[in-house]
Amino acid sequence: MALLIPLLVFSMLFTSSSTEFSAQPGICYGQLGNNLPPPHKSIKLIKSLKAKRVKIYDTSPQILHALKNTSLHVSIMVPNQIIPNISTNQTFSNQWVQNNVLPFYPHTLIRYLLVGNEVITSTTNLTWPHLVPAMRKIKHSLKLLGLRKVKVGTSSAMDVLETSFPPSNAAFRKDISAQIIKPMLGFLNRTKSFFFLDVYPFFAWASDPTNINLDYALFESRNISVTDTGTGLVYTNLFDQMVDAVYFAMARLGYPGIRIFIAETGWPNGGDIDQIGANIYNAATYNRNFVKKVTKKPDFGTPARPGWVLPSFLFALFNENQKPGPGTERHFGLLYPNGSRVYDIDLSERRSKFRKLPPPENNSPFKGRIWCVAARGDNATLLAAALSYACSQGNRTCDPIQPGKRCFKPDSVLWHASYAFSSYWAQFRNRGGTCYFNGLAMQTAKDPSYGSCKFPSVRL
């Protein structure tokens, strides 16, 4: 089996081409914020971080124009929603490349074209069968138009794996392994492209902080290691363990030589009250240590692939205030929207002295009650719509704020929305419900109850 090929052979397979790829990380430039600087200023900020490459989640003409005649290698993306159209229509694919890539190439150094973003995670299984055919069509379109330097791939989250521990026992999920992943690996192998992987030790650690050591997740472990009993390989950090799981899963399907490109990794600098370990200290520690790891000379690689360069993108450039979901989603940035740094970092690893970090205050789980209330009342129309939505969900969510009931007064949209948000969240948090409501809600540890009106809460 491929899994039995000595690790030395893997290293030899890669040595000849490893110098083609810079180990210096790039940056993910997301745009889900209503307070972000314009592209030309953002590109200057990216350069100030010493990034080698930039990844965007679309084909924004403004950004691609701003990247013209820079030395930054660029990754662009096909939207998830048009993957079925591309997979079934070569003409549509050709036209998409002609409209979205050709006008900027080669003056903008477009080097990677990702077909969708975490397609297996974020779309229904009706889209999945279209993924690899769409990748083939896009590659053919690039060839037809003479754009031969652009690698085609797609980004995957760690949930494409069914088992991941120990790494040598890792395997892709049975529902996608034969039909989706294996043909994808064949395409990547044939075109000498990468398996683009989103790796977040934060989420793995936060889901099980009792059994996973925080220092192990932050590349800070000195006396902590995990041994893979199947191979004897020793792991000193969670990132390597996660990456090697995917290498072994690919080898299990017969593709041990495909390189991994870290499409996203990072650590949140803030989050909600109920989110453990999301703080500036941990974010700076993780990202600085990640930069040290991947830029180390000689190339360290991972225990299963020693010496292999790991090209990468850190997530993300800015804190993006319009990203939905838990608070951490809006706090992955290296920069605030005004361009100032959340903490000092240098992606070239040439700078070693940084300003002192604030101590972490939430590395242990919060104990107590939390409420979800209206964050602001400046847009009564939006707040009324969110109130209506919350009241339409669950079991008698808003009965106490009906006329004549104990929480009706004061009779204001802000008050009623706060009650409705807390009631909704108390019912649905364990089923994935969030205290967000398009940015209109926030968590609080201060009880908003008044008189005989008692707000529902979540107890941690």
Short mmCIF file of all heavy atoms in Angstrom, two decimals, residues 352-393:
data_model
loop_
_atom_site.label_atom_id
_atom_site.label_comp_id
_atom_site.label_asym_id
_atom_site.label_seq_id
_atom_site.Cartn_x
_atom_site.Cartn_y
_atom_site.Cartn_z
N SER A 352 11.67 40.36 15.34
CA SER A 352 11.52 39.45 16.48
C SER A 352 10.99 40.14 17.73
O SER A 352 10.49 39.48 18.63
CB SER A 352 12.84 38.77 16.81
OG SER A 352 13.84 39.74 17.08
N LYS A 353 11.11 41.48 17.80
CA LYS A 353 10.65 42.19 18.98
C LYS A 353 9.33 42.89 18.69
O LYS A 353 9.22 43.67 17.75
CB LYS A 353 11.71 43.20 19.42
CG LYS A 353 12.98 42.56 19.97
CD LYS A 353 13.93 43.60 20.53
CE LYS A 353 15.17 42.92 21.11
NZ LYS A 353 16.13 43.91 21.67
N PHE A 354 8.35 42.60 19.55
CA PHE A 354 7.03 43.16 19.37
C PHE A 354 6.56 43.80 20.68
O PHE A 354 7.07 43.49 21.76
CB PHE A 354 6.02 42.08 18.96
CG PHE A 354 6.35 41.38 17.67
CD1 PHE A 354 6.72 40.04 17.66
CD2 PHE A 354 6.28 42.06 16.46
CE1 PHE A 354 7.02 39.40 16.47
CE2 PHE A 354 6.57 41.42 15.27
CZ PHE A 354 6.93 40.09 15.27
N ARG A 355 5.56 44.65 20.57
CA ARG A 355 4.97 45.25 21.76
C ARG A 355 4.33 44.18 22.64
O ARG A 355 3.88 43.15 22.16
CB ARG A 355 3.92 46.28 21.36
CG ARG A 355 4.46 47.55 20.75
CD ARG A 355 3.35 48.44 20.25
NE ARG A 355 2.61 47.80 19.16
CZ ARG A 355 1.52 48.32 18.60
NH1 ARG A 355 1.03 49.46 19.04
NH2 ARG A 355 0.91 47.70 17.60
N LYS A 356 4.28 44.45 23.94
CA LYS A 356 3.71 43.51 24.89
C LYS A 356 2.24 43.29 24.60
O LYS A 356 1.50 44.22 24.27
CB LYS A 356 3.90 44.04 26.32
CG LYS A 356 3.50 43.06 27.39
CD LYS A 356 3.80 43.62 28.78
CE LYS A 356 3.38 42.61 29.87
NZ LYS A 356 3.67 43.14 31.22
N LEU A 357 1.80 42.05 24.74
CA LEU A 357 0.41 41.69 24.47
C LEU A 357 -0.44 41.78 25.73
O LEU A 357 0.05 41.53 26.84
CB LEU A 357 0.34 40.26 23.92
CG LEU A 357 1.01 40.01 22.58
CD1 LEU A 357 1.13 38.51 22.31
CD2 LEU A 357 0.23 40.70 21.45
N PRO A 358 -1.72 42.10 25.58
CA PRO A 358 -2.61 42.06 26.75
C PRO A 358 -2.78 40.62 27.21
O PRO A 358 -2.86 39.71 26.38
CB PRO A 358 -3.92 42.64 26.22
CG PRO A 358 -3.88 42.38 24.75
CD PRO A 358 -2.43 42.49 24.36
N PRO A 359 -2.83 40.36 28.52
CA PRO A 359 -2.97 38.98 28.99
C PRO A 359 -4.31 38.39 28.59
O PRO A 359 -5.31 39.12 28.50
CB PRO A 359 -2.86 39.12 30.52
CG PRO A 359 -3.23 40.53 30.81
CD PRO A 359 -2.78 41.33 29.62
N PRO A 360 -4.36 37.08 28.32
CA PRO A 360 -5.64 36.45 27.97
C PRO A 360 -6.57 36.39 29.17
O PRO A 360 -6.12 36.14 30.30
CB PRO A 360 -5.21 35.05 27.53
CG PRO A 360 -3.94 34.78 28.26
CD PRO A 360 -3.26 36.12 28.38
N GLU A 361 -7.85 36.64 28.94
CA GLU A 361 -8.81 36.66 30.05
C GLU A 361 -9.91 35.61 29.90
O GLU A 361 -10.76 35.50 30.78
CB GLU A 361 -9.44 38.06 30.17
CG GLU A 361 -8.42 39.15 30.53
CD GLU A 361 -9.06 40.51 30.65
OE1 GLU A 361 -10.24 40.66 30.23
OE2 GLU A 361 -8.39 41.43 31.16
N ASN A 362 -9.91 34.88 28.80
CA ASN A 362 -11.00 33.92 28.61
C ASN A 362 -10.49 32.55 28.16
O ASN A 362 -11.13 31.88 27.35
CB ASN A 362 -12.03 34.46 27.61
CG ASN A 362 -11.45 34.67 26.22
OD1 ASN A 362 -10.23 34.67 26.04
ND2 ASN A 362 -12.31 34.84 25.24
N ASN A 363 -9.33 32.15 28.67
CA ASN A 363 -8.81 30.82 28.32
C ASN A 363 -9.50 29.70 29.09
O ASN A 363 -9.27 28.53 28.81
CB ASN A 363 -7.30 30.76 28.57
CG ASN A 363 -6.52 31.47 27.47
OD1 ASN A 363 -7.08 31.84 26.43
ND2 ASN A 363 -5.24 31.67 27.68
N SER A 364 -10.32 30.07 30.06
CA SER A 364 -11.18 29.11 30.75
C SER A 364 -12.63 29.42 30.41
O SER A 364 -12.97 30.59 30.18
CB SER A 364 -10.98 29.19 32.27
OG SER A 364 -9.64 28.89 32.62
N PRO A 365 -13.48 28.42 30.37
CA PRO A 365 -14.89 28.66 30.01
C PRO A 365 -15.56 29.63 30.97
O PRO A 365 -15.32 29.61 32.18
CB PRO A 365 -15.52 27.26 30.10
CG PRO A 365 -14.38 26.30 29.96
CD PRO A 365 -13.21 26.98 30.59
N PHE A 366 -16.41 30.48 30.44
CA PHE A 366 -17.21 31.40 31.25
C PHE A 366 -18.21 30.60 32.09
O PHE A 366 -18.83 29.67 31.60
CB PHE A 366 -17.97 32.38 30.35
CG PHE A 366 -18.85 33.34 31.08
CD1 PHE A 366 -18.33 34.52 31.60
CD2 PHE A 366 -20.20 33.07 31.26
CE1 PHE A 366 -19.14 35.42 32.29
CE2 PHE A 366 -21.02 33.97 31.94
CZ PHE A 366 -20.49 35.13 32.45
N LYS A 367 -18.34 30.99 33.35
CA LYS A 367 -19.30 30.34 34.24
C LYS A 367 -20.34 31.35 34.66
O LYS A 367 -20.01 32.41 35.21
CB LYS A 367 -18.59 29.78 35.49
CG LYS A 367 -17.52 28.74 35.19
CD LYS A 367 -18.12 27.47 34.60
CE LYS A 367 -17.05 26.40 34.40
NZ LYS A 367 -17.60 25.18 33.75
N GLY A 368 -21.60 31.07 34.38
CA GLY A 368 -22.67 31.97 34.76
C GLY A 368 -23.73 32.07 33.68
O GLY A 368 -23.79 31.24 32.76
N ARG A 369 -24.56 33.08 33.80
CA ARG A 369 -25.66 33.28 32.86
C ARG A 369 -25.30 34.33 31.81
O ARG A 369 -24.59 35.30 32.10
CB ARG A 369 -26.93 33.70 33.59
CG ARG A 369 -27.54 32.60 34.46
CD ARG A 369 -28.89 33.02 35.01
NE ARG A 369 -29.51 31.97 35.77
CZ ARG A 369 -30.23 30.98 35.23
NH1 ARG A 369 -30.42 30.94 33.92
NH2 ARG A 369 -30.77 30.06 36.01
N ILE A 370 -25.81 34.14 30.61
CA ILE A 370 -25.62 35.09 29.51
C ILE A 370 -26.97 35.37 28.86
O ILE A 370 -27.77 34.45 28.66
CB ILE A 370 -24.63 34.55 28.45
CG1 ILE A 370 -23.31 34.10 29.09
CG2 ILE A 370 -24.35 35.61 27.39
CD1 ILE A 370 -22.35 33.47 28.10
N TRP A 371 -27.18 36.62 28.53
CA TRP A 371 -28.39 37.02 27.82
C TRP A 371 -28.01 37.55 26.43
O TRP A 371 -26.88 37.97 26.21
CB TRP A 371 -29.12 38.12 28.60
CG TRP A 371 -29.69 37.65 29.89
CD1 TRP A 371 -30.98 37.26 30.14
CD2 TRP A 371 -29.02 37.55 31.16
NE1 TRP A 371 -31.14 36.90 31.46
CE2 TRP A 371 -29.95 37.07 32.11
CE3 TRP A 371 -27.70 37.80 31.57
CZ2 TRP A 371 -29.61 36.85 33.44
CZ3 TRP A 371 -27.36 37.57 32.90
CH2 TRP A 371 -28.31 37.10 33.82
N CYS A 372 -28.96 37.54 25.54
CA CYS A 372 -28.78 38.08 24.18
C CYS A 372 -29.73 39.25 24.02
O CYS A 372 -30.96 39.07 24.09
CB CYS A 372 -29.06 36.99 23.14
SG CYS A 372 -28.91 37.55 21.42
N VAL A 373 -29.21 40.45 23.83
CA VAL A 373 -30.05 41.64 23.78
C VAL A 373 -29.75 42.45 22.52
O VAL A 373 -28.74 42.22 21.84
CB VAL A 373 -29.81 42.52 25.03
CG1 VAL A 373 -30.20 41.77 26.30
CG2 VAL A 373 -28.36 43.00 25.10
N ALA A 374 -30.63 43.40 22.24
CA ALA A 374 -30.43 44.28 21.09
C ALA A 374 -29.18 45.13 21.31
O ALA A 374 -29.02 45.76 22.37
CB ALA A 374 -31.65 45.16 20.87
N ALA A 375 -28.30 45.15 20.31
CA ALA A 375 -27.05 45.89 20.43
C ALA A 375 -27.25 47.37 20.16
O ALA A 375 -26.53 48.21 20.69
CB ALA A 375 -26.02 45.32 19.46
N ARG A 376 -28.20 47.67 19.32
CA ARG A 376 -28.44 49.08 18.99
C ARG A 376 -29.86 49.22 18.44
O ARG A 376 -30.46 48.27 17.95
CB ARG A 376 -27.43 49.58 17.96
CG ARG A 376 -27.48 48.88 16.62
CD ARG A 376 -26.43 49.41 15.66
NE ARG A 376 -26.76 49.14 14.27
CZ ARG A 376 -26.43 48.02 13.64
NH1 ARG A 376 -25.76 47.07 14.28
NH2 ARG A 376 -26.76 47.84 12.37
N GLY A 377 -30.38 50.44 18.53
CA GLY A 377 -31.74 50.67 18.06
C GLY A 377 -31.80 51.76 17.02
O GLY A 377 -32.83 52.42 16.86
N ASP A 378 -30.70 51.97 16.28
CA ASP A 378 -30.64 53.08 15.33
C ASP A 378 -31.41 52.82 14.05
O ASP A 378 -31.66 53.74 13.28
CB ASP A 378 -29.19 53.43 15.00
CG ASP A 378 -28.39 52.25 14.47
OD1 ASP A 378 -28.86 51.10 14.64
OD2 ASP A 378 -27.31 52.46 13.90
N ASN A 379 -31.79 51.55 13.81
CA ASN A 379 -32.58 51.24 12.61
C ASN A 379 -33.81 50.46 13.03
O ASN A 379 -33.79 49.24 13.15
CB ASN A 379 -31.74 50.45 11.60
CG ASN A 379 -32.42 50.39 10.23
OD1 ASN A 379 -33.63 50.20 10.13
ND2 ASN A 379 -31.62 50.55 9.18
N ALA A 380 -34.88 51.19 13.30
CA ALA A 380 -36.10 50.57 13.83
C ALA A 380 -36.69 49.56 12.86
O ALA A 380 -37.26 48.55 13.27
CB ALA A 380 -37.13 51.66 14.16
N THR A 381 -36.54 49.81 11.55
CA THR A 381 -37.12 48.90 10.56
C THR A 381 -36.43 47.54 10.60
O THR A 381 -37.09 46.49 10.63
CB THR A 381 -36.98 49.50 9.14
OG1 THR A 381 -37.65 50.76 9.10
CG2 THR A 381 -37.59 48.57 8.10
N LEU A 382 -35.08 47.55 10.61
CA LEU A 382 -34.34 46.29 10.68
C LEU A 382 -34.58 45.57 12.00
O LEU A 382 -34.72 44.35 12.06
CB LEU A 382 -32.85 46.54 10.50
CG LEU A 382 -32.37 46.96 9.11
CD1 LEU A 382 -30.86 47.22 9.12
CD2 LEU A 382 -32.71 45.89 8.07
N LEU A 383 -34.64 46.34 13.10
CA LEU A 383 -34.86 45.75 14.41
C LEU A 383 -36.24 45.11 14.49
O LEU A 383 -36.40 44.02 15.05
CB LEU A 383 -34.69 46.82 15.49
CG LEU A 383 -34.38 46.33 16.90
CD1 LEU A 383 -33.11 45.51 16.92
CD2 LEU A 383 -34.26 47.51 17.85
N ALA A 384 -37.24 45.78 13.90
CA ALA A 384 -38.60 45.22 13.89
C ALA A 384 -38.66 43.92 13.09
O ALA A 384 -39.35 42.97 13.48
CB ALA A 384 -39.57 46.25 13.32
N ALA A 385 -37.91 43.87 11.99
CA ALA A 385 -37.88 42.65 11.18
C ALA A 385 -37.23 41.51 11.94
O ALA A 385 -37.69 40.36 11.92
CB ALA A 385 -37.15 42.90 9.86
N ALA A 386 -36.12 41.81 12.67
CA ALA A 386 -35.44 40.79 13.46
C ALA A 386 -36.33 40.33 14.61
O ALA A 386 -36.37 39.13 14.95
CB ALA A 386 -34.13 41.33 13.99
N LEU A 387 -37.05 41.25 15.22
CA LEU A 387 -38.00 40.91 16.28
C LEU A 387 -39.07 39.96 15.75
O LEU A 387 -39.39 38.95 16.38
CB LEU A 387 -38.63 42.20 16.82
CG LEU A 387 -39.91 42.08 17.66
CD1 LEU A 387 -39.63 41.31 18.93
CD2 LEU A 387 -40.45 43.48 17.99
N SER A 388 -39.60 40.29 14.59
CA SER A 388 -40.62 39.44 13.98
C SER A 388 -40.10 38.04 13.70
O SER A 388 -40.79 37.04 13.95
CB SER A 388 -41.11 40.09 12.68
OG SER A 388 -42.07 39.27 12.04
N TYR A 389 -38.86 37.96 13.21
CA TYR A 389 -38.27 36.65 12.93
C TYR A 389 -38.11 35.84 14.21
O TYR A 389 -38.49 34.67 14.28
CB TYR A 389 -36.90 36.80 12.26
CG TYR A 389 -36.16 35.50 12.15
CD1 TYR A 389 -36.46 34.57 11.14
CD2 TYR A 389 -35.18 35.15 13.08
CE1 TYR A 389 -35.80 33.36 11.06
CE2 TYR A 389 -34.52 33.93 13.01
CZ TYR A 389 -34.83 33.04 12.00
OH TYR A 389 -34.19 31.83 11.94
N ALA A 390 -37.56 36.46 15.26
CA ALA A 390 -37.33 35.74 16.51
C ALA A 390 -38.65 35.23 17.09
O ALA A 390 -38.72 34.11 17.60
CB ALA A 390 -36.62 36.65 17.51
N CYS A 391 -39.69 36.05 16.99
CA CYS A 391 -40.98 35.66 17.56
C CYS A 391 -41.66 34.55 16.76
O CYS A 391 -42.55 33.87 17.28
CB CYS A 391 -41.90 36.87 17.65
SG CYS A 391 -41.40 38.09 18.90
N SER A 392 -41.25 34.39 15.50
CA SER A 392 -41.88 33.36 14.66
C SER A 392 -41.24 32.00 14.86
O SER A 392 -41.69 31.01 14.29
CB SER A 392 -41.78 33.75 13.19
OG SER A 392 -40.44 33.68 12.73
N GLN A 393 -40.18 31.94 15.65
CA GLN A 393 -39.45 30.70 15.85
C GLN A 393 -39.76 30.11 17.24
O GLN A 393 -40.05 30.84 18.18
CB GLN A 393 -37.93 30.93 15.76
CG GLN A 393 -37.49 31.65 14.50
CD GLN A 393 -37.78 30.87 13.24
OE1 GLN A 393 -37.40 29.71 13.12
NE2 GLN A 393 -38.46 31.50 12.30
#
